C-alpha cells in the first residue's frame, strides 16, 4: 500500500537552527536565518578561499590536513625562510618554532604536530632534515643525496622522498628514492624518470604512493606509482606541468596548480587514471606548499607564486560526493 512519505516525500522541517547530522536529501527551513536549506552531495569538486598566511611566500614545506595544516620555510623576502605557521581550518598563526636551517623548495610530510622538513635549496641543495614536535624543530639525519623540489609522503617515523633537483651536481634531474625511519634515511630503488618539481600524494603511506608532473627538463605529465619496492609508470596527467601541488593517496590523489604555463587546473586520480575536475583553483599558482592535504576530498593549497607576486592566499578543496548544505533560493 502506498504511504504518504513514499508518494510525497518527507515534510519540510521548521527549525530554529540547522540539524547536527542532516542526511542527504533532507530539506528544512531555518527560522533564525529565514532560509530554506537542503543537504546534498557535490557533483564536482570545488575550491573555496581560506584564511591568508601571515607571511606571503613560495616554495614552502607543508604537512597536516585541511583543518590542521603546517607551513614552514619558503622564499619570502629572501631564500632562507625559516618561519613556521599553523592553520586551524580558518586562520593561520605564526608559531615560535623556526627551522634551524632556513631554505625554500623543501619537502614536508607528517602531521601538524609531528612533521618532517627534508632537503631544500639554500642555494645550493641541502640534505638537511628536521623534525617538528608541535613546538620546536630538531635536526635529524640528513638525506643521502642533497636535493630540493622532490615528492614526499608518509609519517614522521615512516616517510619517503623521491626525485628532486640535485644542484650543483650534473645532471640535475635526480631519480633517487629514500625512506625515513624517524632517525635516518636509507636509499631505495630509483624512479623511472629523474625530474624535479613533481607533485606527490602527500597522504600516502611510505609503501604506497604517487609522484606526477615535473620538468625533466621541459614539462611532463608522467605519473609513477610506488609499491614499497619499486616504481611503475602509470597513466599520465591530462595537463603536463611542473611545480604543482599534490594530495591524497595512491588510489585517490589530487593534482592542482603548477606551471604549464601558470594554471589552477585540478585533476583527480582514481587509482587508474586522471580526470580533469571542472572547477579550477580561484588563483592560478605554482610553487605552493610541498606537503599537506592528505585527503583527496579535503585538499589545501597555500602560498606559492602568481607572477610576479608571492602569495599568502589559502584555498580549500571539497571533492565530489562530499555532503554539503545549500541554501535554496525560492522565487
Amino acid at each position: 500500500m502506498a504511504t504518504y512519505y513514499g508518494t510525497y516525500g518527507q515534510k519540510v522541517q521548521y527549525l530554529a537552527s540547522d540539524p547536527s547530522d542532516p542526511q542527504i536529501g533532507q530539506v528544512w527551513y531555518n527560522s533564525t536565518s529565514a532560509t530554506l536549506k537542503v543537504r546534498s552531495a557535490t557533483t564536482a569538486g570545488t575550491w573555496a578561499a581560506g584564511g591568508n598566511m601571515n607571511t606571503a611566500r613560495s616554495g614552502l614545506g607543508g604537512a597536516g590536513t585541511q583543518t590542521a595544516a603546517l607551513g614552514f620555510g619558503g622564499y619570502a623576502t629572501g631564500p632562507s625562510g625559516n618561519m613556521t605557521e599553523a592553520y586551524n581550518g580558518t586562520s593561520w598563526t605564526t608559531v615560535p618554532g623556526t627551522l634551524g636551517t632556513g631554505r625554500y623548495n623543501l619537502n614536508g610530510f607528517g602531521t601538524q604536530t609531528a612533521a618532517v622538513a627534508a632537503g631544500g635549496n639554500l642555494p645550493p641543495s641541502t640534505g638537511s632534515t628536521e623534525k617538528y614536535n608541535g613546538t620546536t624543530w630538531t635536526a635529524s639525519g640528513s638525506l643521502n643525496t642533497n636535493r630540493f623540489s622532490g615528492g614526499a609522503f608518509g609519517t614522521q617515523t615512516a616517510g619517503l622522498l623521491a626525485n628532486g633537483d640535485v644542484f650543483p651536481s650534473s645532471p640535475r634531474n635526480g631519480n633517487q628514492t629514500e625512506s625515513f625511519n624517524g632517525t635516518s634515511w636509507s636509499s631505495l630503488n630509483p624512479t623511472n624518470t629523474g625530474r624535479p618539481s613533481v607533485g606527490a600524494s602527500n597522504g600516502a603511506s611510505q609503501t604506497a604512493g604517487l609522484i606526477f608532473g615535473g620538468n625533466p627538463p621541459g614539462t611532463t605529465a608522467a605519473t609513477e606509482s610506488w609499491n614499497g619496492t619499486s616504481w611503475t609508470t602509470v597513466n599520465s596527467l591530462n595537463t603536463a606541468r611542473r611545480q604543482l601541488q599534490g594530495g591524497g593517496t595512491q588510489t585517490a590523489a589530487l593534482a592542482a596548480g603548477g606551471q604549464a604555463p601558470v594554471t589552477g587546473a585540478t585533476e583527480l586520480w582514481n587509482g587508474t587514471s586522471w580526470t580533469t575536475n571542472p572547477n579550477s583553483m580561484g588563483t592560478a599558482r605554482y610553487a605552493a606548499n610541498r606537503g599537506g592535504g592528505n585527503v583527496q576530498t579535503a585538499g589545501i593549497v597555500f602560498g606559492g607564486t602568481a607572477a610576479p607576486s608571492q602569495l599568502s592566499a589559502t584555498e580549500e578543496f571539497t571533492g565530489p560526493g562530499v555532503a554539503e548544505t545549500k541554501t535554496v533560493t525560492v522565487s
Side-chain angles (χ1 to χ4, degrees), residues 39-264:
R39 189 70 167 173
S40 63
T42 56
T43 56
T46 58
W47 290 95
N52 287 345
M53 300 192 80
N54 295 293
T55 302
R57 49 187 141 153
S58 61
L60 66 163
T65 67
Q66 189 185 82
T67 57
L70 193 73
F72 41 90
Y75 196 109
T77 56
S80 300
N82 64 356
M83 66 293 286
T84 302
E85 295 186 41
Y87 188 63
N88 62 5
T90 303
S91 60
W92 289 92
T93 301
T94 301
V95 296
T98 56
L99 288 166
T101 301
R103 49 202 142 134
Y104 70 107
N105 286 346
L106 67 164
N107 279 100
F109 55 90
T111 68
Q112 188 183 63
T113 57
V116 174
N121 196 359
L122 297 176
S125 59
T126 178
S128 174
T129 301
E130 298 181 47
K131 297 188 297 185
Y132 185 68
N133 64 3
T135 306
T136 58
W137 290 95
T138 304
S140 188
S142 293
L143 288 161
N144 294 295
T145 301
N146 293 354
R147 62 184 117 164
F148 59 90
S149 296
F153 45 83
T155 67
Q156 190 181 69
T157 57
L160 188 118
L161 175 60
N163 282 26
D165 189 324
V166 296
F167 176 77
S169 298
S170 182
R172 293 174 58 173
N173 303 323
N175 65 352
Q176 296 88 349
T177 301
E178 298 185 41
S179 63
F180 186 65
N181 63 6
T183 303
S184 59
W185 292 92
S186 299
S187 296
L188 303 174
N189 285 322
T191 62
N192 296 297
T193 303
R195 50 196 154 130
S197 303
V198 295
S201 53
N202 304 132
S205 73
Q206 186 186 56
T207 58
L210 293 177
I211 59 169
F212 37 87
N215 55 311
T219 302
T220 182
T223 300
E224 295 189 42
S225 178
W226 172 251
N227 65 5
T229 302
S230 59
W231 293 94
T232 301
T233 300
V234 292
N235 287 320
S236 296
L237 289 161
N238 294 292
T239 301
R241 50 187 126 164
R242 62 186 183 275
Q243 293 186 300
L244 69 163
Q245 167 60 26
T249 65
Q250 187 185 54
T251 56
L254 170 71
Q259 237 179 338
V262 183
T263 180

Side-chain angles (χ1 to χ4, degrees), residues 22 24 28 38-44 46 318-319 321-326:
I24 292 176
W28 68 95
V38 62
R39 189 70 167 173
S40 63
T42 56
T43 56
T46 58
T318 299
V322 176
E324 60 179 356
T325 299
K326 292 183 177 180

